[in-house]
């Protein structure tokens, strides 16, 4: 399945439920979308989901620090391909006592050189410390470094330079690698005695935002997802090659060649639809200069809302858009945290 980008720009985004009248028909279409998505991603996330059980939840504690309302563990664990993944594990002080089986979230960082520190430490940027804020609400939080960030910047390279990755893994994609690593992070959370494995969510802004719903469509253990300024579509995008081959972070090099032929492999709301009916909270800013095609984003979110309603899960999808830039403002974080509370804390799905 592929589309002509010029045709989509001239007409409209492809409708998820076009020609679909039954749940069975939707599931068949969903599998076609998933197959195209997996082909583009490459092998790592597929292998990560179907590998032997082994010691999937094992990790090494490197240090521990006591904060006012939680413990912060600096940990490392092994990725699918044997590399070491650095992360902060934040555990509420009350966990394991009068709060057994806590809900947990995977806090995925945005495009910040500091990686995990941006969302987990008081030194993180304003409106980015969502990991720190969620542990204060009683969530166990795991915040890993993505490849090219934090402690995982390649030797001799700048943050978010993926060229060394493609030298090592020319048949993979950077997004496929990130997803495989995030699946390992869910393994870690699910293994913790403090965590209820049926109440694990994901939250992220920008890079972390789209990694969150990418993950939710792949790993059914993710029971709710929040994405801030982490959604766009090819339609109306002045820079669709943001997803292709670039001189810094290359998501899917193959997409550049497709764009030269006026083709796209899918529209992004189709990939987001792989998560349905998992509870999903999406936020976008009208003045977002990174993802400026807000009218096309709104149209695709409206179409995704129709799918959730078709599935009888209208209470599981929220999309908000407001007069903000590429940011995660306090009032939006409040709504996002309340959404997670409804689906993971007080009323697990």
């Amino acid at each position: 399945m592929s589309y002509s980008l010029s045709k989509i720009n001239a007409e409209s985004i492809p409708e998820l439920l076009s020609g679909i009248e039954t749940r069975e028909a939707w599931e068949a279409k969903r599998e076609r979308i998933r197959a195209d998505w997996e082909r583009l991603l490459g092998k790592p996330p597929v292998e990560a989901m179907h590998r032997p059980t082994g010691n999937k939840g094992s990790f090494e504690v490197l240090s521990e620090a006591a904060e006012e309302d939680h413990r912060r563990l600096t940990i490392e664990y092994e990725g699918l391909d044997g590399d070491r993944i650095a992360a902060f594990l934040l555990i509420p002080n009350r966990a394991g006592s009068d709060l057994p089986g806590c809900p947990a979230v995977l806090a995925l960082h945005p495009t910040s050189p500091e990686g995990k520190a941006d969302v987990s430490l008081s030194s993180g940027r304003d409106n980015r410390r969502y990991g720190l804020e969620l542990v204060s609400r009683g969530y166990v939080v795991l915040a890993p470094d993505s490849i090219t960030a934090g402690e995982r910047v390649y030797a001799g390279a700048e943050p978010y330079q993926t060229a060394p990755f493609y030298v090592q893994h020319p048949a993979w994609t950077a997004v496929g690698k990130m997803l495989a690593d995030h699946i390992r992070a869910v393994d870690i959370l699910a293994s913790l005695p403090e965590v209820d494995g049926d109440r694990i969510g994901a939250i992220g802004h920008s890079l972390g935002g789209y990694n969150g719903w990418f993950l939710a469509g792949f790993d059914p253990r993710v029971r709710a997802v929040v994405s801030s300024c982490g959604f766009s579509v090819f339609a109306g995008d002045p820079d669709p090659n943001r997803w292709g081959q670039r001189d810094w972070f290359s998501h899917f090099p193959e997409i550049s060649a497709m764009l030269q032929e006026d083709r796209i492999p899918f529209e992004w709301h189709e990939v987001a639809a792989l998560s349905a009916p998992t509870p999903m909270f999406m936020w976008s800013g009208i003045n977002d200069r990174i993802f400026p095609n807000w009218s096309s984003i709104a149209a695709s979110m409206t179409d995704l809302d129709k799918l959730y309603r078709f599935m009888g899960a209208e209470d599981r999808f929220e999309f908000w858009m407001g007069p903000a830039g590429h940011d995660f403002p306090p009032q939006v974080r409040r709504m996002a945290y309340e959404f997670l509370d409804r689906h993971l804390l007080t009323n697990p799905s």
Side-chain angles (χ1 to χ4, degrees):
M1 179 176 64
S2 65
Y3 302 108
S4 162
L5 179 56
S6 60
K7 184 176 181 180
I8 284 179
N9 282 331
E11 297 177 359
S12 63
I13 60 169
E15 294 184 0
L16 293 167
L17 295 175
S18 177
I20 303 295
E21 296 183 358
T22 65
R23 184 67 175 264
E24 292 75 18
W26 162 248
E27 290 300 329
K29 181 175 181 178
R30 181 182 185 275
E31 288 308 307
R32 293 194 297 272
I33 296 169
R34 183 181 178 90
D36 289 338
W37 177 227
E38 289 185 359
R39 184 198 60 77
L40 186 67
L41 284 169
K43 292 182 179 180
V46 179
E47 292 180 350
M49 284 302 296
H50 297 98
R51 69 202 183 288
T53 301
N55 295 317
K56 293 194 298 184
S58 62
F59 60 90
E60 179 183 1
V61 177
L62 303 181
S63 66
E64 182 173 341
E67 300 292 346
E68 182 177 355
D69 58 4
H70 68 278
R71 293 179 292 132
R72 183 180 70 252
L73 280 62
T74 302
I75 69 172
E76 278 191 352
Y77 48 94
E78 190 173 281
L80 177 69
D81 53 341
D83 64 341
R84 302 297 293 176
I85 300 171
F88 287 140
L89 177 60
L90 313 181
I91 302 177
N93 286 341
R94 296 171 62 202
S97 55
D98 55 339
L99 281 179
C102 290
V105 289
L106 181 59
L108 302 173
H109 64 76
T111 308
S112 165
E114 292 76 21
K116 62 187 181 299
D118 199 30
V119 303
S120 305
L121 303 182
S122 59
S123 60
R125 292 174 295 169
D126 290 345
N127 297 339
R128 302 293 186 272
R129 297 185 288 267
Y130 37 87
L132 200 58
E133 292 171 346
L134 283 166
V135 73
S136 295
R137 294 177 77 94
Y139 289 82
V140 173
V141 177
L142 181 60
D145 281 331
S146 290
I147 56 167
T148 71
E151 298 180 58
R152 302 182 68 194
V153 178
Y154 289 98
E158 295 294 320
Y160 297 97
Q161 293 286 341
T162 53
F165 166 79
Y166 284 108
V167 169
Q168 295 177 21
H169 304 291
W172 292 11
T173 63
V175 173
K177 167 60 174 164
M178 286 192 293
L179 275 181
D181 289 349
H182 298 336
I183 291 168
R184 283 288 293 114
V186 178
D187 291 342
I188 301 299
L189 284 174
S191 75
L192 296 173
E194 297 90 349
V195 169
D196 180 347
D198 290 327
R199 297 195 292 170
I200 296 174
I203 185 171
H205 173 75
S206 192
L207 171 76
Y210 53 80
N211 269 267
W213 52 268
F214 287 172
L215 176 64
F218 231 98
D219 194 331
R221 296 174 298 176
V222 176
R223 302 301 177 88
V225 61
V226 167
S227 175
S228 164
C229 296
F231 183 84
S232 187
V233 284
F234 289 106
D237 190 342
D239 181 24
N241 195 55
R242 72 176 72 249
W243 302 107
Q245 178 71 50
R246 300 186 293 178
D247 59 2
W248 62 297
F249 195 96
S250 296
H251 294 78
F252 307 97
E254 180 182 343
I255 283 181
S256 292
M258 297 184 71
L259 289 171
Q260 291 180 358
E261 299 173 353
D262 190 34
R263 291 189 301 119
I264 54 175
F266 39 65
E267 243 323 349
W268 285 111
H269 71 306
E270 294 178 318
V271 176
L274 298 177
S275 304
T278 298
M280 180 183 294
F281 179 102
M282 293 281 204
W283 153 253
S284 294
I286 292 176
N287 298 310
D288 188 332
R289 294 184 179 180
I290 295 178
F291 295 135
N293 49 329
W294 62 267
S295 60
S296 296
I297 292 170
S300 62
M301 289 291 96
T302 299
D303 197 45
L304 191 58
D305 178 70
K306 292 178 182 177
L307 174 64
Y308 271 78
R309 293 179 181 277
F310 174 78
M311 301 179 82
E314 55 268 28
D315 61 333
R316 295 185 173 199
F317 180 78
E318 289 190 22
F319 170 62
W320 296 91
M321 179 173 280
H326 196 73
D327 199 10
F328 201 176
Q331 66 271 29
V332 180
R333 296 201 309 282
R334 176 182 56 79
M335 292 191 297
Y337 299 162
E338 290 173 354
F339 180 87
L340 289 175
D341 288 349
R342 287 196 299 276
H343 294 287
L344 297 178
L345 190 61
T346 59
N347 184 29
S349 301

